[in-house]
Amino acid sequence: MPAAPVRDPGAWQLVRDGCRMTLCGPVADGALAIDLDLAQGPLSRRLRQARGDDPLARAVGLGKAATPPRLVDATAGLGRDAMTLAHLGCPVLAIERVPALAYLVAAAIEGTWLARNLTVRLGDAVAMLAGLADANRPDVVLLDPMFEEQGNAQVKKAMQACRALAGPPDDPAPLFAAARRAARERVVVKREASAPPLAGEPSFAVAGERVRFDVYLAPPR
Ligand SMILES: C[S@@+](CC[C@H](N)C(=O)[O-])C[C@H]1O[C@@H](n2cnc3c(N)ncnc32)[C@H](O)[C@@H]1O
């Protein structure tokens, strides 16, 4: 991808400053700026404070498994959930269909400890999950297709950026169906705490602070 010689205030751009990569929105749209800083700030704190008994980790089955589950995060977005799980030891393939977001996450983890466990791929997760060879099917598929306003100001700002780039949410049914077919063990769907389940009653749910993780266990084979 060619580098622009100067910042264009009318366009979305990825701006590199040393090892920090920032996604900058058009000034006319409020100049959203999202950076994935692994050295300091909220993301770095979130990773340092992550524990194996956190709701997300419990929902993917991290606590119980003898070895960390292999995951596909099919809605990578800004990669925070994928990074958290990779930091906790899970091999994660993160799929994101918006090029700027996929590139931002890939650039943020490049050369860091997270790159050992986390791979970022640009593409449509419905097609990519369907195309997985049997040997590459993950234990767990994580879905976070929600776009509602949620959480604190930082989270809202990040969601605004995701929404502005990703456009309106589409029907999540094909993604859920592809996830169900691909996951050997479970599909985990992240929802706002008060939102109804995405795809009927889950096997069980794990409550987080502001969100809920609905867990759909694969039927026994
Ligand atoms: C709410 S964000 C995910 C936030 C993410 N959990 C995080 O920790 O930053 C949802 C993302 O899913 C992506 N997405 C939705 N459907 C997708 C699909 N079929 N394939 C790939 N990405 C998809 C959107 O582009 C958007 O960036």
Side-chain angles (χ1 to χ4, degrees):
M1 185 186 298
V6 288
R7 165 92 176 96
D8 175 355
W12 281 95
Q13 274 181 315
L14 286 163
V15 178
R16 188 188 278 286
D17 175 12
C19 57
R20 175 200 275 200
M21 191 65 121
T22 307
L23 185 56
C24 299
V27 170
D29 295 346
L32 286 171
I34 301 295
D35 61 40
L36 296 180
D37 192 339
L38 297 175
Q40 56 186 356
L43 177 59
S44 147
R45 255 197 316 280
R46 173 175 169 169
L47 294 178
R48 274 185 282 117
Q49 291 170 358
R51 298 284 175 267
D53 58 357
D54 290 345
L56 172 61
R58 279 191 282 132
V60 303
L62 185 59
K64 293 224 171 88
T67 51
R70 279 198 312 148
L71 273 121
V72 169
D73 179 346
T75 53
L78 291 163
R80 295 155 304 178
D81 292 328
M83 287 185 200
T84 303
L85 291 165
H87 178 72
L88 290 172
C90 301
V92 182
L93 169 65
I95 304 174
E96 173 53 53
R97 66 183 172 190
V98 174
L101 294 175
Y103 190 75
L104 177 70
V105 178
I109 63 164
E110 194 181 345
T112 74
W113 79 103
L114 289 173
R116 279 197 295 272
N117 279 342
L118 178 55
T119 307
V120 184
R121 288 273 179 274
L122 169 64
D124 175 20
V126 177
M128 289 176 85
L129 286 169
L132 285 177
D134 196 54
N136 294 333
R137 283 174 52 208
D139 301 308
V140 182
V141 177
L142 173 64
L143 303 178
D144 174 15
M146 73 182 166
F147 277 77
E148 299 89 357
E149 288 293 335
Q150 54 162 332
N152 58 31
Q154 180 64 32
V155 174
K156 280 183 183 163
K157 203 162 69 113
M159 281 301 106
Q160 256 177 294
C162 270
R163 237 192 326 264
L165 282 158
D170 51 9
D171 176 9
L175 185 55
F176 183 79
R180 277 296 247 176
R181 281 193 291 273
R184 289 180 190 282
E185 207 221 298
R186 63 181 72 185
V187 174
V188 176
V189 184
K190 186 174 172 181
R191 301 290 287 156
E192 235 185 3
S194 58
L198 186 77
E201 274 311 300
S203 309
F204 63 93
V206 181
E209 216 178 298
R210 284 178 292 267
V211 296
R212 190 184 75 240
F213 297 99
D214 290 342
V215 180
Y216 297 84
L217 295 175
R221 285 169 193 259

